[in-house]
Amino acid sequence: RDFMKTILVAINSKYVHTALGLRYVCEFCKTKDLDVTLIEETIQTPLLAVLAEITRAKPDFVGFSVHIWNKAYVYSLIELVRKVLPAAKIAVGGPEVAFEPERIFGEKSEIDFIVQGEGEICFAELLTALENSADKVPLHIAYRDKNGHVQINGGVTVVDDLAALVFPYPDLETIVAENKIVYYECTRGCPFQCSYCLSGISRSVRRRPLEKVLLDLERFMEARVPLVKFVDRTYNLDETYFLPIMHYLAMADTETTFHFEIKADLLSEKTLKFLETVPEGRFQFEIGVQSTHDATLKAIGREHNWEKLADNVERLLANDNIHLHLDLIAGLPYEGLQEFIKSFNDVYGLQPHMLQLGFLKVLQGTVMQSQAQEHGLLYMSEPPYEVVQTKYMAYEELRFLKVLEDVFENTYNTGKFKHVLAYLIKANGGTAFDFYRQLTEWWESRGLYPQGHNVRGVTKLLWEFTCDCYPEEKTNVKEILRFDVFISLPNWQPSWLGWKTAELNEQAMAFWRDKDEVCQYLPDYIFSTWRQIRKNYPIEAFDYNVYSGVAERSIFMADYSDGKCIVKPLVSKHLQNE
């Protein structure tokens, strides 16, 4: 046996990401005594720098994982590898190449092999066959035969026994030191057949044995991983499987946060009761609503019980211990602008911590791709294959929603402007979408799209918007905007917001010297320094009370002592409330 050196190349979209798929492949290959090394870089890394890293190892075989975010980059890299390493074999795998091998071989003649589906076992078999000079290519590896004809060779495969997979993070200490996100899966496959998604192609849901999952998660917690993101397509399918994992994580003594993608209408009363007890910040949930329009949900195979979903989300939000991220998709079949607006207002009404406005992507190999003509889908021919027009929504409407998405990301989804946005929506007199439409039109008129913006800049923009569009509300909005800054942007006091800190200074000092009164608000209070008091417990007066909704003088303390803000209204003989 001639040992062959293989390099696997993962090109992530961001530095904080990790390449779970290729990590599984790499570690599985090592169990078969194969010489395989993983390189992880990002699409921001110069091509020639990655090429230098690959060639330095003098590999006989180079494998690439191809995704929607890195296809163009990887294709350019493949061309370079073929030029400087003409004898090396090149393989690709991943969702961008696995389902239509004839097309991929046509796009990139430099490719020798295409791994179709979950590649741990079949890729290891391919490397073993090449090392042993075997003539037969293993199943599920597409290739060109000696006559140049494409051989599909078994089609798309899955790994039936997830117990065979090896822990994918041998470099866990480095991952933590570099503050990267750890991705993990305890199941593969999806029982749902969403027409825009590739995950349901394998209908069978396969589970990693519970005892192995718990051992893996224990390793993450011992290493103090900040965030573990489960990539299971629908985590909460089987309560007898997922609930013991959640119980284990909820009981653990850890600071690690765990992120799950769930289907909220499937949550049972038993699960909801349990979730009330979970420590704050331990779990995050991402919930794919996509639409609330029945005809759309039926067309995309995504039917859900909206009433139950909404009720369960409201219960989760009321607990105030789990961050909720809800998703919508614009450009779906049978959803025109008016239907999308209703979906937006329905989901916005729940007030999730984040509401992601996505746009339909017509992925290669999906049912949606085969239905593109039926629904009049016009979309980008290259990644990310995003829809720009449909039979139901004109280009101008989708383009406007694209700008609105940017505005929404810079305002609502920052979580910094909760009170002022609620006030302005009420002042608008229409629906939430009516307000964001107005804000988006103003945003565009000022040339603010597609510029980048930080939270401080957006604070000033919301004030300028108010002055232009709601001049009669300026007095109240300035107080409410200042309150939002007070609780979410500590120690930032722009002069244009009219801070009252200086005029309160003597009264505040008298309050802090009265230990009995201070302890009514901070039972464990111990004086340290005036500087720490100003930093951790700022006090400010407002002429509008955001909680009562009345223009009245109110004094608040923001408690930042444990790293998050707790707002406390102050009624003190030293701080005279009128």
Side-chain angles (χ1 to χ4, degrees), residues 13-298:
S13 61
K14 294 181 181 178
Y15 176 77
V16 296
H17 295 171
T18 46
L20 179 62
L22 273 190
R23 284 174 164 271
Y24 272 128
V25 172
C26 183
E27 295 310 306
F28 185 83
C29 286
K30 288 177 182 177
T31 67
K32 303 302 178 183
D33 198 25
L34 295 162
D35 183 3
V36 180
T37 304
L38 175 66
I39 292 172
E40 280 193 84
E41 294 293 350
T42 76
I43 54 175
Q44 287 81 35
T45 311
L47 272 169
L48 293 181
V50 182
L51 181 67
E53 200 171 352
I54 294 168
T55 56
R56 190 181 301 125
K58 297 182 173 59
D60 305 294
F61 197 110
V62 186
F64 297 90
S65 185
V66 189
H67 297 267
I68 198 169
W69 64 81
N70 70 11
K71 182 180 177 183
Y73 186 104
V74 169
Y75 271 19
S76 297
L77 197 51
I78 286 171
E79 288 179 20
L80 289 168
V81 169
R82 175 57 74 228
K83 287 175 181 177
V84 299
L85 295 173
K89 297 293 185 184
I90 295 175
V92 294
E96 272 297 292
V97 296
F99 299 96
E100 296 180 342
E102 297 98 331
R103 177 176 59 82
I104 300 304
F105 279 124
E107 288 178 354
K108 276 259 120 337
S109 60
E110 297 89 348
I111 294 171
D112 296 301
F113 303 102
I114 297 175
V115 179
Q116 291 197 262
E118 298 172 13
E120 290 89 351
I121 294 172
C122 62
F123 186 71
E125 289 174 348
L126 173 63
L127 296 185
T128 302
L130 292 173
E131 282 195 355
N132 294 327
S133 301
D135 292 331
K136 190 175 181 182
V137 176
L139 288 174
H140 313 297
I141 306 290
Y143 65 98
R144 284 194 192 89
D145 62 23
K146 293 176 181 178
N147 298 316
H149 299 131
V150 174
Q151 300 297 322
I152 301 302
N153 195 28
V156 177
T157 185
V158 299
V159 175
D160 289 319
D161 181 11
L162 298 191
L165 300 183
V166 187
F167 186 73
Y169 293 96
D171 55 343
L172 198 52
E173 288 185 8
T174 303
I175 295 290
V176 173
E178 294 176 347
N179 204 31
K180 293 188 176 185
I181 297 170
V182 166
Y183 295 97
Y184 184 74
E185 60 188 357
C186 54
T187 64
R188 286 186 181 177
C190 183
F192 305 109
Q193 300 295 298
C194 300
S195 61
Y196 53 79
C197 183
L198 292 166
S199 296
I201 287 175
S202 162
R203 296 193 178 199
S204 64
V205 176
R206 293 142 288 132
R207 298 176 175 85
R208 186 161 168 80
L210 203 54
E211 63 275 12
K212 285 185 175 288
V213 170
L214 298 183
L215 286 171
D216 292 344
L217 296 175
E218 187 62 39
R219 291 177 73 169
F220 292 141
M221 291 186 286
E222 284 180 0
R224 299 180 182 272
V225 172
L227 177 62
V228 175
K229 280 191 134 180
F230 280 70
V231 296
D232 305 59
R233 301 320 300 164
T234 304
Y235 173 77
N236 62 314
L237 285 173
D238 180 356
E239 195 170 74
T240 63
Y241 180 77
F242 78 79
L243 206 49
I245 298 172
M246 283 187 155
H247 272 289
Y248 180 79
L249 296 177
M251 295 294 291
D253 180 14
T254 181
E255 296 300 314
T256 302
T257 296
F258 299 89
H259 178 104
F260 305 93
E261 294 183 29
I262 70 163
K263 202 167 183 296
D265 56 326
L266 295 183
L267 296 173
S268 70
E269 183 64 25
K270 178 182 176 182
T271 298
L272 288 165
K273 284 287 188 185
F274 157 69
L275 292 173
E276 293 176 4
T277 70
V278 173
E280 184 180 353
R282 183 66 50 85
F283 295 162
Q284 297 176 357
F285 289 164
E286 183 171 349
I287 299 166
V289 180
Q290 320 314 8
S291 173
T292 63
H293 185 51
D294 288 338
T296 296
L297 292 169
K298 187 174 182 180

Side-chain angles (χ1 to χ4, degrees), residues 290 326-332 340 355-361 386 398 401-402 405 409:
Q290 320 314 8
L326 273 59
D327 295 326
L328 284 174
I329 297 177
L332 292 170
F340 179 81
L355 171 49
Q356 184 72 46
L357 305 184
F359 291 80
L360 177 63
K361 294 171 177 61
E386 191 170 298
L398 273 166
L401 291 179
K402 196 74 178 171
E405 176 204 21
E409 283 295 307

